[in-house]
Amino acid sequence: MKLIWSPDTATKAYIDTVRSCEVFQESGVAELVSAMAAGWNAEFIVETWSSGGVIATSIGLEIASRHTRGRHVCVVPDEQSREEYAAAMKEAGMEAEVLVGEPEEVMAGLVGVDFLVVDSKRKDFARVLRQARLSHRGAVLVCKNASSRNASSFRWRSVVDCGSRRVVRSVFMPVGKGLDMAHVSSSGGNLESGTGENKWVKHFDQRSGEEHVIRK
């Protein structure tokens, strides 16, 4: 079974996030990410967060998990971040599961992630993406604050397993401080051949260096 897009669920999550995040700056990121997670019916949502980070995205992800009846986990680096995160979420009337530790280490124990949000401001964000144990259904990976990173040093294909998985599509959106998103295929799928609705075509973007796999 693959991730299947549900526009109705996405819309409901978007509206609820608008209502909950209207007091936050850059809430547009939260609304979009919430709608994406809910629309893909994400069963296991994971994010990374550290002290001083914007809480609106976390609120959006928690709202999405309620609509999909899924699990939302936030990975923080230390106790200070955990306490700050929990207090901010409580003030917003939300609760979320929080795990403390170095993100790339904690990720090794989280199996079946199908929606992952990392902060590009953190130096270890690429390692977190590599360590993620993605769902067999496929996954959506999101880098927020993507405009702040060195674009020439990051490629989605460098953080996604080149074995049975491929980046189906990737897109950069000028929302907030930049959202870079990638849809990763389900495991074991054949992305290079087939007929009818199962035919896939590869396209290499000369400008970004990304390999896109498009379903026809």
Side-chain angles (χ1 to χ4, degrees):
M1 181 178 179
K2 298 181 180 180
L3 289 174
I4 300 175
W5 180 256
S6 173
D8 290 342
T9 308
T11 301
K12 292 176 182 177
Y14 181 90
I15 293 173
D16 287 348
T17 304
V18 169
R19 292 170 177 168
S20 297
C21 295
E22 59 185 359
V23 298
F24 293 97
Q25 293 181 348
E26 299 183 14
S27 60
V29 173
E31 294 148 3
L32 177 58
V33 171
S34 177
M36 290 288 291
W40 284 111
N41 289 304
E43 296 178 356
F44 192 7
I45 301 169
V46 177
E47 64 168 322
T48 61
W49 191 89
S50 56
S51 180
V54 177
I55 204 68
T57 301
S58 300
I59 294 173
L61 293 175
E62 178 62 21
I63 289 173
S65 71
R66 295 181 180 183
H67 280 281
T68 65
R69 299 179 182 177
R71 179 187 178 191
H72 170 213
V73 173
C74 181
V75 179
V76 299
D78 49 45
E79 283 297 323
Q80 178 182 342
S81 295
R82 184 193 66 78
E83 292 176 2
E84 184 179 331
Y85 180 86
M89 290 292 279
K90 183 177 181 180
E91 184 177 352
M94 304 280 175
E95 291 185 8
E97 183 178 348
V98 184
L99 298 179
V100 181
E102 290 301 320
E104 63 267 30
E105 296 177 0
V106 177
M107 291 302 297
L110 300 177
V111 181
V113 177
D114 48 21
F115 200 91
L116 172 62
V117 180
V118 300
D119 191 341
S120 296
K121 287 184 177 179
R122 290 184 58 94
K123 294 181 179 179
D124 60 359
F125 82 92
R127 294 201 301 273
V128 174
L129 292 170
R130 292 190 189 97
Q131 291 294 326
R133 303 179 67 179
L134 305 180
S135 168
H136 63 86
R137 302 191 306 144
V140 175
L141 310 179
V142 180
C143 294
K144 63 181 183 179
N145 296 315
S147 297
S148 64
R149 74 188 182 204
N150 185 351
S152 63
S153 64
F154 178 81
R155 295 288 182 271
W156 279 112
R157 60 183 178 179
S158 70
V159 296
V160 176
D161 185 4
C162 61
S164 61
R165 295 184 186 274
R166 294 288 188 278
V167 174
V168 178
R169 64 181 68 87
S170 62
V171 61
F172 180 88
M173 302 189 70
V175 179
K177 295 182 180 179
L179 285 178
D180 195 2
M181 298 181 287
H183 177 201
V184 180
S185 69
S186 57
S187 59
N190 181 1
L191 300 180
E192 298 185 29
S193 63
T195 58
E197 62 179 10
N198 293 320
K199 185 176 181 180
W200 298 81
V201 176
K202 285 186 177 182
H203 170 69
F204 185 78
D205 190 325
Q206 296 291 340
R207 182 177 181 181
S208 68
E210 296 285 355
E211 180 183 77
H212 303 274
V213 186
I214 305 169
R215 188 173 186 175
K216 297 188 69 178

